[in-house]
């Protein structure tokens, strides 16, 4: 049984009943750093004396909280001072700042190794890359790997990974990992994939808003959202799961990645503004709760916040201002990132300069779920340090190979006679060293599993080469 | 052919027993060049790679077509500059064309064969024979493989050993049909001999159909004595039979190979004898596809180091000596696939736990098959090594058979 709201937060002069006893190490911090409405006025939030006890009760609310109660996340000063101190196990150093753009070359130091930035983060959904052993991927230059908490919770279970000694021992990979909160996958159950949501113009979301009617697929609502968290059903066996800001942190603690992410709500692109405001505010409250849970036992893990607000400038700015005031170790750009690459570029154009203000500049920035080449170029020049995407490994399975002259679809017959022609003439990966396009065509047509391995290895190598070249270009003053 | 190493590898007691891995589609399944070189290096003479022309050399055939522009239709084509010869975009068909092997396979001991399992194919109706050649089933449909095309394609694969094209009759075929098959096999062996008559370093194998061998050994083995090129080895085609052990004892061929085996029991029967010195199989890949890991204990010799097993270690092995990694019993098992002994990709240096492999299986990750294949191949090689070094191979066979669920 996952406990709900099992920690205490303070807000606005309200006194709290500890819903669950805090450990002695931090209990006094919460009482000591209790502040009242003046602080909240300055951050733009309304005050309420009623928030604390009702918002963070142990029992799931039978009725949703009212608007006034929902609007108030904790203030920066509500977090203990020690939380703002630099971590000895995690730091980001900027080696070179471009004079032509916001691009920078840096290094993220984690307990399991260094990440040179800007960097591509490969996605190992189930703690495994598709068809590629981690050691082969590491040889291509892969440093940070992204795993999905949602899938790992459903199988094998976060506790099992904990009992195995953590994800590094479980997978036998020594390099750094990052895990997400599971929010993206959970909300995808309601809205579909990003592409589906954009193309359906939000049809699917109506089914997730508590409508009693089944959705367009004829099935019951897959996701139920409340202030406490999200209830969803496992696609494996249909069992119910409750994902709360606290439980996702616990799961990520069990998994043991080097970088973890708090629970956030992922609204769709097609959403009215009032709903978006509500969603952003809820995400802030959830992320603060996750942060609090994380601070109880840091466990040598860094936590990135997730900035939201869709394509709304005001909301994005509010999100940046609030979340960067909290003791997160890095910043992830999440939520809906626009309808297409141009809108993403525009969003980054006006949002990223905010991350260069003051101390924000010294923390790493991660762009969630985007890593096609054009977006990489647009993101890096605007100051993004890391990007993740399953695109290179996913398309590899379907026969798409990345090259410096665009991707090639190896199933085309025209490659059946490309004897001695590498996938990419400038690529030095093991696939290109040993195989030509004609043979890869043959393997693909014969449905040989080896093709998936070779294609994925090449694509990952290509992405790492791309980022290496990008870093060099920044240092050379070309970007 | 670029090998300078001695071909034969013998155990201290003089016993030779090697594994011929079926390289389906011209590759070692799941293994990239780097993982293959690291975990199954070419320096190991006990691992041979078999390449079948049937799936390695089938290629699209494009015909040239002359494209004449409409306005030049009535002009003299020889002088017209707008006439271009071009290769058609769509293949006119598929055929068996000379194909070079992957460069990274060259250091390995290799054998070229027409196909690996014609008996099984024959049952499916996908390997039929006439005087002109054989008709085989490929990913591009049924294709005809003539002796000429086979010889050209197989020699291009540049393996040190080549098995000639062969005919197979039904296992319960009549005498006439059997005679015809033998006749064709002899002719095709001689054809291959002629095709590589100038190449002294190329060695030929002759096919020996097991049912025919049992019924008429002298006729069956006469194939290998062609005038042009005597066979340096024979490849047994069909299902292993206990009578073969005695029959083959007196043979003086450098290599006697069982071309294909389809169960661990068959492998054990052959390995415990002394007639055959190479066992061909696709079992490591078959088991990996079923998410099975070979887990038999073959270290029964008291003088050797072995992990003491207790009830907790006793695994539920199937008839092939494998454990099913999809079973929930492994969900929390932190031990490697085969504790204490193995040094395969999946076991020692990497130490993937059973729990992790089980998770990969349930999550339908292809990495599961990769690790399981590497493990199974390693275990097969270790198994044959155990038989090579066993003082009493029959006793070893019995020890293993007791573990199987038959």
């Amino acid at each position: 049984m996952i406990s709900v709201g099992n920690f205490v937060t303070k807000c606005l002069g309200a006194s709290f009943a500890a819903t669950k006893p805090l450990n002695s190490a931090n209990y006094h911090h919460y009482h000591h750093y209790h502040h009242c409405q003046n602080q909240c006025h300055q951050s733009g939030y309304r005050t309420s004396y009623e928030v604390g006890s009702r918002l963070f009760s142990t029992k799931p609310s039978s009725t949703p909280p009212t608007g006034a109660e929902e609007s108030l996340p904790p203030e920066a000063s509500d977090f203990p001072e020690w939380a703002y101190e630099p971590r000895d196990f995690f730091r980001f150093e900027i080696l070179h700042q471009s004079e032509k753009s916001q691009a920078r070359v840096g290094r993220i130091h984690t307990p399991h190794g260094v990440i040179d930035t800007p960097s591509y983060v490969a996605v190992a959904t189930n703690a495994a890359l598709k068809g590629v052993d981690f050691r082969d991927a590491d040889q291509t230059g892969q440093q940070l790997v992204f795993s999905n908490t949602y899938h790992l919770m459903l199988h094998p279970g976060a506790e099992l990974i904990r009992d195995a000694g953590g994800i590094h021992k479980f997978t036998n990979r020594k390099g750094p990992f990052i895990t997400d909160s599971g929010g993206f996958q959970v909300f995808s159950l309601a809205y579909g994939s990003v592409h589906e949501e954009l193309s359906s113009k939000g049809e699917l979301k109506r089914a997730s808003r508590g409508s009693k009617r089944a959705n367009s697929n004829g099935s019951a609502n897959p996701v139920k959202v409340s202030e406490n968290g999200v209830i969803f059903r496992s696609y494996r066996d249909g069992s119910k799961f409750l994902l709360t800001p606290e439980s996702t942190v616990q799961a990520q603690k069990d998994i043991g990645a080097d970088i973890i992410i708090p629970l956030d709500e992922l609204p769709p692109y097609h959403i009215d503004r009032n709903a978006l405001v509500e969603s952003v505010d809820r995400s802030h409250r959830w992320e603060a709760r996750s942060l609090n849970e994380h601070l109880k036992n840091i466990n040598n893990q860094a936590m990135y916040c997730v900035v939201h607000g869709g394509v709304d400038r005001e909301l994005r700015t509010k999100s940046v201002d609030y979340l960067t005031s909290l003791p997160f170790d890095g910043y992830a750009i999440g939520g809906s990132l626009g309808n297409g690459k141009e809108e993403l570029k525009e969003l980054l154009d006006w949002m990223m300069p905010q991350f260069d203000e003051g101390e924000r500049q010294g923390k790493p920035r991660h762009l969630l779920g985007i890593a096609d080449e054009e977006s990489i170029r647009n993101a890096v020049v605007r100051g993004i340090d890391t990007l993740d995407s399953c695109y290179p490994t996913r398309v590899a399975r379907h026969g798409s190979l990345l090259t410096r002259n665009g991707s090639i679809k190896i199933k085309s017959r025209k490659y059946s006679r490309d004897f001695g022609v590498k996938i990419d003439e400038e690529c030095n990966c093991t696939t290109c060293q040993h195989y030509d396009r004609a043979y890869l065509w043959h393997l693909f047509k014969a449905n040989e599993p080896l093709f998936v391995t070779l294609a994925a290895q090449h694509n990952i190598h290509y992405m790492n080469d791309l980022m290496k070249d990008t870093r060099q270009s920044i240092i050379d003053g070309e970007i | 052919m670029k090998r300078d190493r001695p071909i034969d590898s013998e155990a201290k007691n003089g016993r030779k027993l090697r594994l011929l891995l079926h390289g389906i589609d011209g590759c070692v399944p799941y293994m990239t060049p780097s993982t293959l070189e690291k975990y199954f290096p070419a320096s190991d003479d006990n691992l041979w790679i078999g390449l079948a022309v049937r799936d390695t050399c089938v290629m699209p055939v494009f015909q040239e077509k002359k494209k004449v522009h409409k306005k030049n239709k009535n002009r003299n084509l020889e002088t017209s500059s707008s006439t271009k010869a071009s290769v058609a975009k769509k293949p006119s068909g598929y055929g068996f064309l000379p194909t070079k092997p992957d460069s990274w396979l060259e250091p390995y001991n290799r054998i070229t064969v027409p196909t690996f399992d014609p008996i099984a194919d024959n049952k499916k109706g996908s390997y039929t024979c006439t005087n002109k050649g054989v008709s085989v089933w490929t990913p591009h449909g049924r294709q005809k493989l003539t002796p000429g095309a086979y010889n050209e394609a197989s020699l291009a694969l540049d393996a040190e050993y080549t098995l000639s094209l062969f005919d197979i009759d039904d296992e319960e075929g009549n005498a006439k049909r059997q005679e015809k098959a033998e006749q064709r096999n002899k002719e095709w062996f001689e054809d291959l001999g002629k095709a590589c008559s100038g190449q002294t370093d190329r060695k030929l194998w002759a096919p020996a159909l097991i049912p025919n061998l049992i019924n008429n050994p002298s006729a069956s083995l006469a194939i290998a004595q062609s005038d042009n090129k005597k066979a340096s080895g024979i490849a047994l085609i069909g299902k292993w039979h206990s009578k073969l052990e005695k029959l083959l004892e007196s043979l003086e061929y450098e290599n006697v190979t069982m071309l294909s085996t389809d169960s661990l029991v068959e492998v054990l029967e052959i390995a415990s004898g002394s007639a055959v010195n190479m066992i061909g199989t696709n079992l490591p890949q078959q088991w990996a596809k079923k998410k099975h890991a070979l887990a038999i204990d073959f270290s029964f010799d008291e003088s050797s180091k072995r992990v003491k097993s207790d009830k907790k270690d006793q695994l539920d092995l199937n008839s092939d000596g494998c454990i099913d990694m999809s079973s929930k019993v492994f969900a929390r098992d932190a031990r490697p696939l085969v504790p204490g002994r193995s040094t395969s990709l999946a076991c020692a240096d990497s130490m993937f736990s059973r729990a992790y492999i089980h998770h990969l299986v349930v999550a339908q990750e292809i990495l599961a098959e990769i690790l399981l294949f590497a493990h199974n191949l390693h275990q097969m090689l270790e198994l044959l090594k155990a038989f090579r070094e066993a003082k009493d191979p029959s006793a070893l066979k019995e020890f293993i058979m007791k573990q199987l669920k038959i």
Side-chain angles (χ1 to χ4, degrees):
Chain A
M1 179 74 181
I2 301 169
S3 61
V4 177
N6 61 352
F7 79 103
V8 173
T9 192
K10 292 186 168 241
C11 195
L12 313 170
S15 61
F16 309 84
T19 55
K20 187 175 177 179
L22 295 171
N23 61 56
S24 57
N26 57 19
Y27 186 65
H28 71 279
H29 289 295
Y30 288 103
H31 282 291
H32 182 65
Y33 291 102
H34 155 125
H35 277 272
C36 55
Q37 60 253 49
N38 287 337
Q39 299 290 334
C40 291
H41 274 306
Q42 283 164 13
S43 67
Y45 287 95
R46 290 182 290 138
T47 64
S48 167
Y49 284 96
E50 300 299 319
V51 172
S53 53
R54 287 182 63 176
L55 187 59
F56 302 109
S57 77
T58 47
K59 294 174 191 173
S61 335
S62 52
T63 54
T66 63
E69 291 160 349
E70 286 178 334
S71 65
L72 231 47
E75 276 300 309
S77 48
D78 288 336
F79 291 87
E81 257 182 33
W82 58 262
Y84 290 90
E85 285 164 16
R87 315 270 187 243
D88 54 3
F89 59 86
F90 180 89
R91 65 186 175 92
F92 177 55
E93 59 170 324
I94 299 173
L95 302 175
H96 178 86
Q97 175 68 56
S98 168
E99 288 170 15
K100 284 186 170 178
S101 68
Q102 285 178 270
R104 65 237 193 123
V105 171
R107 305 191 96 191
I108 302 174
H109 298 263
T110 76
H112 288 92
V114 168
I115 304 151
D116 296 305
T117 64
S119 176
Y120 161 69
V121 183
V123 176
T125 304
N126 288 297
L129 291 170
K130 299 292 181 203
V132 180
D133 188 327
F134 278 129
R135 284 157 303 170
D136 288 338
D138 291 348
Q139 274 176 13
T140 69
Q142 192 57 50
Q143 292 171 319
L144 185 60
V145 169
F146 200 112
S147 271
N148 297 120
T149 301
Y150 169 80
H151 292 286
L152 294 179
M153 273 170 51
L154 298 186
H155 195 279
E159 298 85 4
L160 188 145
I161 298 177
R162 176 199 65 204
D163 293 343
I167 193 168
H168 296 88
K169 286 230 165 94
F170 190 55
T171 60
N172 196 41
R173 178 180 187 258
K174 295 185 174 63
F177 278 94
I178 174 174
T179 48
D180 59 355
S181 63
F184 178 82
Q185 284 78 24
V186 167
F187 286 101
S188 296
L189 295 174
Y191 302 129
S193 67
V194 171
H195 172 74
E196 282 167 353
E197 193 273 321
L198 288 171
S199 53
S200 74
K201 296 186 182 166
E203 283 298 319
L204 289 172
K205 72 176 169 68
R206 295 197 187 102
S208 75
R209 289 296 185 196
S211 165
K212 288 182 184 175
R213 288 177 299 166
N215 64 15
S216 57
N217 293 333
S219 54
N221 293 335
V223 168
K224 283 184 184 168
V225 182
S226 73
E227 186 58 30
N228 283 325
V230 189
I231 296 175
F232 65 95
R233 286 192 180 272
S234 162
Y235 62 82
R236 290 197 176 276
D237 57 11
S239 54
K240 269 188 182 174
F241 272 78
L242 169 62
L243 193 66
T244 69
E246 292 77 18
S247 70
T248 182
V249 169
Q250 275 313 314
Q252 292 181 77
K253 292 284 169 199
D254 287 344
I255 293 169
D258 302 87
I259 303 169
I260 63 176
I261 288 179
L263 184 66
D264 57 332
E265 183 179 359
L266 183 62
Y269 177 79
H270 296 96
I271 186 172
D272 60 72
R273 196 175 189 276
N274 289 337
L276 183 60
V277 169
E278 268 183 48
S279 171
V280 171
D281 288 345
R282 179 177 293 130
S283 284
H284 289 173
R285 290 192 294 275
W286 280 358
E287 293 192 46
R289 282 167 59 183
S290 288
L291 179 60
N292 264 314
E293 185 69 15
H294 165 61
L295 291 174
K296 286 180 189 176
N297 174 23
I298 291 181
N299 194 34
N300 281 358
Q301 293 172 295
M303 181 178 263
Y304 285 11
C305 64
V306 186
V307 171
H308 276 273
V311 292
D312 186 294
R313 290 194 188 210
E314 190 189 328
L315 290 175
R316 279 281 178 186
T317 302
K318 176 179 164 184
S319 191
V320 170
D321 284 344
Y322 174 64
L323 292 171
T324 57
S325 72
L326 303 187
F328 286 106
D329 302 294
Y331 314 127
I333 316 299
S336 176
L337 297 170
N339 187 358
K341 292 170 193 169
E342 278 307 308
E343 216 168 357
L344 167 65
K345 189 173 151 191
E346 206 184 299
L347 166 71
L348 295 176
D349 260 337
W350 49 258
M351 186 180 62
M352 291 311 294
Q354 297 176 46
F355 287 96
D356 285 337
E357 296 168 12
E359 287 179 4
R360 296 171 186 174
Q361 198 195 26
K363 291 192 178 173
R365 308 129 182 201
H366 181 88
L367 186 58
L368 286 165
I370 303 281
D372 59 283
E373 280 186 65
E374 187 182 337
S375 298
I376 287 174
R377 278 193 292 275
N378 292 335
V380 164
V381 299
R382 288 162 180 82
I384 291 289
D385 301 304
T386 51
L387 313 93
D388 73 272
S389 176
C390 57
Y391 175 77
T393 43
R394 180 190 294 163
V395 298
R397 297 202 295 283
H398 300 291
S400 225
L401 304 171
L402 306 177
T403 80
R404 284 155 179 77
N405 298 315
S407 67
I408 63 171
K409 302 238 182 305
I410 200 66
K411 66 179 178 184
S412 170
R413 261 187 229 103
K414 63 183 176 186
Y415 298 115
S416 65
R417 296 172 78 81
D418 267 1
F419 305 116
V421 179
K422 290 183 188 180
I423 300 170
D424 184 324
E425 281 304 319
E426 292 177 51
C427 182
N428 230 3
C429 74
T430 56
T431 304
C432 288
Q433 280 175 31
H434 294 98
Y435 296 92
D436 58 18
R437 291 181 183 188
Y439 188 66
L440 290 165
W441 172 88
H442 160 69
L443 287 181
F444 183 80
K445 297 301 274 186
N447 282 324
E448 274 293 329
L450 181 59
F451 173 80
V452 175
T453 301
L454 295 175
Q457 268 188 357
H458 166 79
N459 282 359
I460 292 173
H461 189 103
Y462 175 84
M463 293 300 294
N464 285 310
D465 271 356
L466 173 69
M467 301 314 292
K468 194 170 150 191
D469 291 344
T470 302
R471 290 193 290 272
Q472 193 57 51
S473 295
I474 297 171
I475 290 173
D476 292 343
E478 292 166 18
I479 296 178
Chain B
M1 288 170 282
K2 298 173 186 177
R3 292 188 59 254
D4 298 321
R5 303 184 309 285
I7 294 166
D8 296 334
S9 66
E10 296 183 9
K12 287 176 188 170
N13 59 11
R15 175 99 201 268
K16 289 187 289 186
L17 187 61
R18 296 171 291 226
L19 184 73
L20 172 63
L21 181 70
H22 294 180
I24 310 284
D25 296 317
C27 65
V28 176
Y30 305 106
M31 295 285 105
T32 62
S34 52
T35 44
L36 189 69
E37 179 54 31
K38 187 174 179 189
Y39 293 99
F40 304 104
S43 54
D44 182 0
D45 284 330
N46 293 306
L47 173 63
W48 290 48
I49 312 289
L51 299 180
V53 166
R54 184 183 93 148
D55 42 51
T56 307
C57 302
V58 61
M59 293 285 169
V61 174
F62 296 86
Q63 278 182 351
E64 273 192 10
K65 59 176 185 178
K66 287 189 180 170
K67 196 174 176 182
V68 181
H69 199 277
K70 273 186 191 172
K71 64 178 181 183
N72 298 319
K73 212 174 171 182
N74 296 321
R75 292 189 187 173
N76 185 343
L77 288 178
E78 286 179 7
T79 55
S80 168
S81 59
S82 61
T83 304
K84 292 182 196 174
S86 63
V87 177
K89 286 182 184 176
K90 287 187 180 179
S92 55
Y94 286 85
F96 296 97
L97 302 179
T99 310
K100 283 192 177 172
D102 295 329
S103 57
W104 57 272
L105 277 183
E106 283 177 10
Y108 288 84
N109 298 301
R110 284 174 291 117
I111 298 160
T112 303
V113 303
T115 180
F116 287 113
D117 204 349
I119 302 293
D121 292 345
N122 198 34
K123 283 182 182 164
K124 292 180 242 172
S126 58
Y127 190 93
T128 55
C129 306
T130 65
N131 282 338
K132 291 182 181 174
V134 305
S135 184
V136 293
W137 192 259
T138 74
H140 305 284
R142 185 174 283 279
Q143 306 296 335
K144 187 148 253 167
L145 181 58
T146 62
Y150 173 73
N151 293 344
E152 206 179 336
S154 62
L155 295 180
L157 282 174
D158 202 26
E160 196 146 2
Y161 295 85
T162 307
L163 173 65
S164 62
L165 189 64
F166 51 80
D167 179 8
I168 52 168
D169 59 5
D170 294 330
E171 285 185 30
E172 288 150 298
N174 57 41
K176 237 182 173 179
R177 177 72 183 90
Q178 191 176 341
E179 200 184 312
K180 199 156 200 172
E182 296 289 354
Q183 183 62 32
R184 279 186 193 140
N185 289 346
K186 191 169 182 196
E187 280 172 19
W188 291 344
F189 180 77
E190 284 173 2
D191 282 345
L192 181 62
K194 282 177 197 165
C196 55
S197 57
Q199 301 169 37
T200 51
D201 54 350
R202 198 176 293 279
K203 299 182 184 181
L204 303 188
W205 283 6
L209 309 179
I210 291 177
N212 298 358
L213 195 57
I214 293 170
N215 295 331
N216 194 353
S218 53
S220 216
L221 292 172
I223 297 166
Q225 308 292 326
S226 85
D227 293 332
N228 284 304
K229 194 101 179 171
K230 286 187 183 174
S232 66
I234 60 168
L236 303 171
I237 299 165
K239 199 117 176 91
W240 177 257
H241 196 286
S242 51
K243 287 184 183 175
L244 286 170
E245 188 63 39
K246 207 167 181 180
L247 206 65
L248 298 167
E249 259 173 8
S250 56
L251 291 182
E252 292 175 0
Y253 292 104
E254 186 185 322
N255 288 294
V256 177
T257 297
M258 185 68 188
L259 190 62
S260 184
T261 50
D262 61 8
S263 70
L264 182 69
V265 171
E266 197 176 1
V267 171
L268 294 174
E269 293 283 349
I270 300 167
S272 57
S274 56
V276 170
N277 51 31
M278 190 178 308
I279 301 176
T281 189
N282 186 24
L283 287 171
Q285 184 182 6
Q286 286 182 31
W287 292 332
K289 278 190 173 170
K290 292 182 202 168
K291 314 299 188 281
H292 291 178
L294 183 61
I296 48 173
D297 179 9
F298 42 82
S299 54
F300 82 114
D301 189 344
E302 287 300 329
S303 62
S304 71
K305 292 177 191 172
R306 72 168 184 163
V307 175
K308 273 194 177 176
S309 62
D310 55 36
K311 279 187 182 173
K312 283 183 193 174
D313 284 349
Q314 280 177 2
L315 297 166
D316 188 18
L317 306 179
N318 64 9
S319 58
D320 270 336
C322 292
I323 48 176
D324 183 355
M325 293 313 297
S326 64
S327 169
K328 285 182 187 173
V329 302
F330 300 115
R332 301 187 82 88
D333 193 335
R335 292 172 293 177
L337 285 170
V338 181
R341 177 165 36 90
S342 176
T343 54
S344 77
L345 166 72
C347 284
D349 110 318
S350 43
M351 287 298 290
F352 291 115
S353 63
R354 289 175 185 174
Y356 182 58
I357 294 178
H358 169 76
H359 159 65
L360 293 178
V361 167
V362 173
Q364 298 181 339
E365 288 285 342
I366 196 174
L367 186 59
E369 287 183 26
I370 296 171
L371 296 177
L372 287 171
F373 169 79
H375 166 82
N376 292 339
L377 177 58
H378 179 89
Q379 290 300 299
M380 285 292 279
L381 289 168
E382 290 290 297
L383 175 68
L384 298 190
K385 182 182 173 190
F387 273 102
R388 277 199 302 278
E389 296 174 353
K391 291 172 191 168
D392 187 350
S394 296
L396 174 58
K397 181 192 106 179
E398 289 310 315
F399 173 75
I400 295 171
M401 292 286 279
K402 282 180 191 166
Q403 301 170 47
L404 308 182
K405 192 182 274 183
I406 300 175

